[in-house]
Amino acid sequence: MPPLFALLVMIALALPAAAEERPGAGLLWNRSGLPATLPLVVTTMPGQDYAIFLRKPDTDSRVVAGYIHGGEPFRLLVPPGSWDISFAHGRDWQGEDELFGPETGWISLDRPLGFEAGIARRRGHIIRLIEGDGGIKVASRDPLDICQDLTVTTEIVKRDEDREGLNILPAPGLEDLRDDFDTFPRNDFNRLPTPGLRQIETELDTRSRICP
C-alpha cells in the first residue's frame, strides 16, 4: 500500500463519525407487538439529548426506543408489562448504532418498572433525571396513574307533536260526534291517544386525568 494512501486511511479512521440529523422527540420504534397505551413521563435538563430503551428484564432484547430532547417535556406511551429502562445520553447523535459516539454515557434504573391498565385506571411512571456528581443520575421515580371518567350525555333532537290519535271511544247508545265520516273512517274511532315520538341522541365521552 502506498505510504500516502495508508496515511489517508489512518486519518479517516481517526476522525470521529459525522453527526446525523437530530431525531424528533418521541417514539423511535415499538417492537413488542403490543399496543402502546400506558404513560411514561421523563424530565431532563438541557445540554444533552437522550435515547431511552425499554428491555425485557434480564435480557438484552430492546422492545421500545424513544428520543428525548434535553430540557423539553417528554411523554411516551409504552406497552403493558414489566420493563428495564435505560438511557443513553450525549450531545451529537450519530444514529441508532453509534448513538452519541464514543462519548455516549449510560444510566439505568436499578429495578424494572411495571405498566398496567385497569377498567378506569392506567398505571405508568414519571422519571426525573438531573446532572450531579459529574454525570447524569436519577433524581426520582414515581407512579403516574391516569384515571378515565365516562360521561354520558343525552339530548332530545326531535319531537313529533303533530301525530293524530286523540279519537274518542264511542259509548253505547250515543251518536258519534264527528261531523265528517268520510274524513274519519269508523275503524279509526277506537284508537287510543298516542304520545308524540322522540328521537334521543346519546354521546359517550371519555376524559383522562391524573388520579388523586
Side-chain angles (χ1 to χ4, degrees):
M1 179 181 297
L4 179 58
F5 181 77
L7 178 61
L8 292 176
V9 170
M10 294 177 61
I11 293 174
L13 293 177
L15 291 174
E20 292 192 3
E21 183 178 354
R22 186 191 198 194
L27 179 71
L28 290 176
W29 40 259
N30 176 10
R31 298 170 181 167
S32 68
L34 300 172
T37 58
L38 304 170
L40 172 60
V41 174
V42 182
T43 64
T44 59
M45 301 180 67
Q48 299 190 58
D49 281 358
Y50 300 79
I52 179 174
F53 298 99
L54 275 65
R55 297 181 293 108
K56 296 180 179 179
D58 302 322
T59 72
D60 293 327
S61 177
R62 296 174 179 171
V63 296
V64 175
Y67 194 85
I68 303 172
H69 293 174
E72 298 181 7
F74 177 81
R75 180 176 182 267
L76 183 69
L77 295 178
V78 306
S82 182
W83 309 110
D84 281 334
I85 299 178
S86 58
F87 300 88
H89 57 88
R91 299 181 184 277
D92 297 317
W93 178 252
Q94 297 179 16
E96 292 188 30
D97 293 331
E98 299 295 330
L99 300 177
F100 298 97
E103 302 301 321
T104 299
W106 284 92
I107 182 172
S108 301
L109 272 63
D110 57 4
R111 66 174 183 271
L113 296 183
F115 297 81
E116 58 186 4
I119 296 177
R121 181 182 293 253
R122 292 180 295 155
R123 168 151 290 185
H125 295 272
I126 179 170
I127 302 171
R128 298 176 180 87
L129 301 181
I130 63 172
E131 293 187 26
D133 301 328
I136 305 296
K137 65 179 183 179
V138 178
S140 63
R141 56 167 176 251
D142 297 293
L144 177 63
D145 289 0
I146 303 298
C147 288
Q148 294 178 306
D149 298 327
L150 180 64
T151 302
V152 181
T153 304
T154 59
E155 179 182 3
I156 299 175
V157 295
K158 182 179 180 182
R159 182 170 180 173
D160 184 2
E161 299 288 3
D162 299 328
R163 294 194 62 192
E164 296 180 0
L166 300 178
N167 300 314
I168 302 173
L169 290 174
L174 295 179
E175 293 183 359
D176 188 89
L177 300 180
R178 295 182 185 274
D179 296 327
D180 190 348
F181 283 84
D182 294 332
T183 305
F184 301 98
R186 290 182 177 277
N187 60 7
D188 196 40
F189 291 167
N190 293 329
R191 185 194 301 173
L192 291 174
T194 57
L197 295 179
R198 296 180 179 182
Q199 180 180 344
I200 300 178
E201 283 190 355
T202 302
E203 294 184 358
L204 300 179
D205 183 23
T206 301
R207 298 181 179 180
S208 298
R209 59 182 175 84
I210 298 177
C211 301

